[in-house]
């Protein structure tokens, strides 16, 4: 079985994550597991044979034949509206993977880990948190997670409950009742005060919309992080 | 074993002869990079070709500017499936830069600031197929798109078009570059969908 071969999964569940996003769990006979941070190509086929393919990060990791994606709806998108609004338990979905060997974290890595996510960019980072938990890793792992509002958090309960990761939430538009901070963007000062410092030589993973990743990665370099220690994944146009 | 996706019709479609298989059109210009965007001053920029004989051919920013520039009007295709048609670049042809380079090797490794690399057959960057570009759409190339200077090889997937390019090393065999070592195809022809290794 090569990552280039198309597999067929059966949807086990589709769960609303935010008003615009769902997580989708698939049962996939023949799946050999994935490394945290990898993605898959999803292929949809119309009755006339027309196909559309897009890449989605995996929230799941490790062995087993269950695969979890999380998909944010893009208004003028072609594939995400189908996955978020149409797909339901029992449907079949074609995909291939796991793909990508760069933006990945493995439990045998010993450097502290700093994860920084914007919006749906948390999905591959959640896979890293799950891998960290599953391995019982003692490597320090922190997540700085920027979302617009409380309802825009992906995997909110799981992230709050995750004991192996030190979570900092940042709300850019709307904060929960009683939150001690006003809404605001992730700034260099905020990164300096809430993330693992460059002196600890962390492995840094940044995933989110292009503008978010550009700003965060530049701030990290300004704060003394070695550019080669910062892995990025961007999405959306500029 | 294609299966049909219940309830999926897809976008209204018409024949798109300029679009390679599996690609969709975008009007945006997405940014995809493996790490932070470096800031490179023109005064610090240089481009060097190294051969197996130890010879080097180097150009500073000002020396590059003194070479003949060409307008390049081309389609570009990213392995992440977006294509952008009829883009406008301005740059120096690799034919100009390789005019005095003597090498018996058939492959090149392109190097970028930050450590990025990508491998190519030499024949794919000569004969009007590749440029060092410094302008996009009439403006200086933005840093997140590879400025101040980016190589473009538009007939291959766009990861072959190295941002922040700083040099080329001749190589005897087609040793893989950065993405080519990380699961992507060694050649990357979009018309044959050579996406993954």
């Amino acid at each position: 079985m090569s990552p280039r071969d198309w597999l067929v999964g059966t949807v086990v569940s589709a769960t609303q994550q935010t008003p615009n996003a769902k997580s989708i769990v698939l049962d996939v006979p023949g799946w050999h597991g994935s490394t945290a941070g990898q993605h898959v190509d999803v292929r949809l086929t119309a009755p006339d044979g027309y196909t559309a393919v897009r890449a989605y990060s995996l929230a799941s990791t490790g062995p087993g034949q269950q695969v979890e994606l999380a998909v944010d709806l893009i208004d003028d998108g072609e594939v995400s509206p189908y996955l978020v609004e149409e797909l339901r338990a029992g449907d079949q979905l074609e995909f291939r993977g796991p793909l990508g060997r760069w933006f990945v974290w493995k439990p045998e890595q010993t450097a502290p880990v700093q994860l920084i996510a914007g919006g749906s960019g948390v999905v591959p980072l959640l896979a890293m948190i799950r891998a960290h938990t599953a391995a019982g890793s003692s490597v320090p792992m922190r997540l700085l997670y920027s979302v617009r509002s409380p309802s825009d958090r992906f995997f909110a309960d799981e992230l709050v409950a995750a004991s192996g990761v030190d979570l900092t939430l940042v709300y850019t538009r709307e904060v929960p009742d009683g939150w001690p901070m006003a809404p605001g963007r992730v700034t260099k000062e905020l990164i300096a005060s809430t993330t693992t410092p460059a002196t600890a030589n962390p492995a840094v993973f940044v995933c989110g919309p292009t503008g978010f990743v550009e700003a965060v990665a530049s701030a990290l370099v300004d704060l003394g992080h070695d550019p080669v220690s910062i892995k990025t994944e961007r999405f959306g146009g500029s | 074993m294609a299966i049909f996706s219940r309830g999926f019709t897809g976008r209204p479609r018409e024949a798109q002869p300029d679009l390679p298989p599996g690609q969709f059109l975008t009007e945006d210009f997405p940014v995809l990079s493996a790490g932070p965007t470096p800031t490179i001053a023109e005064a610090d920029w240089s481009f060097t070709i190294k051969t197996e004989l130890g010879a080097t051919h180097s150009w500073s920013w000002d020396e590059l500017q003194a070479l003949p520039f060409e307008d390049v009007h081309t389609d570009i295709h990213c392995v992440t499936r977006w294509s952008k048609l009829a883009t406008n670049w301005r740059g120096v042809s690799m034919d100009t830069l390789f005019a005095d380079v003597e090498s018996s090797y058939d492959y090149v490794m392109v190097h970028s600031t930050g450590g990025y690399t990508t491998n190519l057959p030499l024949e794919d960057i000569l004969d009007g197929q590749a440029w060092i570009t410094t302008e996009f759409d009439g403006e200086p190339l933005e840093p997140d798109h590879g400025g101040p200077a980016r190589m473009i090889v538009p007939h291959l997937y766009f990861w072959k078009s190295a941002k922040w390019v700083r040099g080329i090393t001749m190589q005897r065999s087609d040793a893989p570059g950065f993405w080519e070592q990380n699961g992507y195809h060694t050649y990357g022809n979009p018309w044959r969908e050579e996406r993954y290794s």
Side-chain angles (χ1 to χ4, degrees):
Chain A
M1 183 67 60
S2 149
R4 284 184 297 173
D5 295 331
W6 292 97
L7 297 168
V8 179
T10 302
V11 178
V12 175
S13 63
T15 308
Q16 206 78 37
Q17 286 290 336
T18 80
N20 288 314
K22 273 186 185 162
S23 57
I24 297 161
V25 176
L26 299 149
D27 184 62
V28 192
W31 179 254
H32 293 302
S34 60
T35 302
Q38 288 191 295
H39 63 275
V40 292
D41 277 349
V42 171
R43 177 165 76 180
L44 302 181
T45 303
D48 64 354
Y50 169 82
T51 60
V53 181
R54 297 290 186 278
Y56 292 98
S57 287
L58 292 169
S60 54
T61 181
Q65 65 174 43
Q66 287 220 329
V67 170
E68 184 172 29
L69 318 175
V71 181
D72 205 11
L73 184 133
I74 296 169
D75 284 334
D76 60 349
E78 182 172 30
V79 173
S80 66
Y82 176 85
L83 297 177
V84 173
E85 294 172 344
E86 182 68 32
L87 194 73
R88 60 187 185 223
D91 282 343
Q92 289 191 313
L93 188 66
E94 270 190 306
F95 65 97
R96 65 178 173 184
L99 301 167
R101 296 202 291 262
W102 166 248
F103 195 84
V104 295
W105 182 78
K106 297 176 180 175
E108 55 264 36
Q109 292 178 226
T110 54
V113 183
Q114 178 65 54
L115 311 172
I116 304 180
S120 63
V122 78
V123 176
L125 307 187
L126 176 71
M128 296 179 191
I129 292 169
R130 288 176 167 177
H132 182 266
T133 302
S137 171
S138 58
V139 169
M141 182 176 266
R142 300 180 79 166
L143 169 64
L144 175 61
Y145 185 18
S146 169
V147 289
R148 279 173 301 189
S149 71
S151 66
D152 289 311
R153 291 177 298 167
F154 282 69
F155 301 101
D157 295 343
E158 181 175 347
L159 286 172
V160 168
S163 56
V165 62
D166 181 354
L167 171 67
T168 303
L169 275 161
V170 178
Y171 297 98
T172 60
R173 301 270 175 79
E174 179 194 337
V175 298
D177 289 342
W179 193 253
M181 308 256 293
R185 289 182 176 277
V186 171
T187 60
K188 183 159 65 173
E189 293 69 31
L190 186 99
I191 292 171
S193 63
T194 62
T195 65
T196 310
T199 50
N201 297 312
V204 186
F205 295 88
V206 188
C207 185
T210 296
F212 175 84
V213 173
E214 285 295 314
V216 167
S218 295
L220 288 165
V221 173
D222 287 348
L223 291 168
H225 291 267
D226 185 347
V228 303
S229 70
I230 305 168
K231 297 189 176 187
T232 60
E233 202 158 82
R234 299 159 170 86
F235 49 76
S238 66
Chain B
M1 158 178 80
I3 60 157
F4 296 106
S5 308
R6 180 195 55 76
F8 177 70
T9 52
R11 281 191 178 136
R13 43 200 174 269
E14 45 199 88
Q16 289 276 9
D18 296 334
L19 211 51
Q23 297 292 109
F24 64 88
L25 278 179
T26 183
E27 301 298 323
D28 283 339
F29 194 169
V31 173
L32 293 140
S33 314
T37 296
T39 306
I40 304 163
E42 292 169 2
D44 297 332
W45 184 88
S46 67
F47 181 77
T48 302
I49 300 172
K50 289 182 195 165
T51 74
E52 69 275 23
L53 303 170
T56 59
H57 305 258
S58 282
W59 293 266
S60 67
W61 182 262
D62 289 342
E63 288 165 344
L64 184 81
Q65 297 298 319
L67 298 174
F69 272 64
E70 299 176 3
D71 289 309
V72 184
H73 189 68
T74 187
D75 302 340
I76 58 178
H77 311 292
C78 179
V79 72
T80 64
R81 298 183 181 273
W82 58 263
S83 288
K84 198 169 168 59
L85 303 184
T87 59
N88 294 295
W89 305 76
R90 207 168 149 68
V92 174
S93 171
M94 277 296 161
D95 296 318
T96 302
L97 298 166
F98 270 86
D100 297 325
V101 176
E102 290 188 20
S103 172
S104 62
Y105 285 179
D106 292 331
Y107 300 94
V108 302
M109 186 70 87
V110 183
H111 298 267
S112 297
T113 297
Y116 182 78
T117 54
T118 189
N119 57 294
L120 292 148
L122 178 62
E123 64 180 13
D124 277 85
I125 65 169
L126 299 180
D127 297 329
Q129 297 184 93
W131 295 263
I132 299 283
T133 61
T134 60
E135 288 181 30
F136 176 76
D137 263 355
E139 301 287 337
L141 190 59
E142 296 284 345
D144 57 351
H145 290 303
R150 174 180 199 159
M151 185 162 162
I152 64 166
V153 194
H155 68 290
L156 301 177
Y157 282 128
F158 216 45
W159 88 78
K160 294 285 186 182
S161 295
K163 296 176 178 180
W164 316 302
V165 68
R166 59 178 301 157
I168 285 178
T169 303
M170 300 302 307
Q171 56 180 5
R172 183 197 304 268
S173 64
D174 201 15
F178 176 82
W179 284 121
E180 296 85 358
Q181 292 171 42
N182 282 284
Y184 289 83
H185 196 276
T186 192
Y187 184 65
N189 180 342
W191 295 95
R192 294 202 299 261
E193 284 212 79
E194 293 172 346
R195 299 176 189 277
Y196 309 116
S197 57

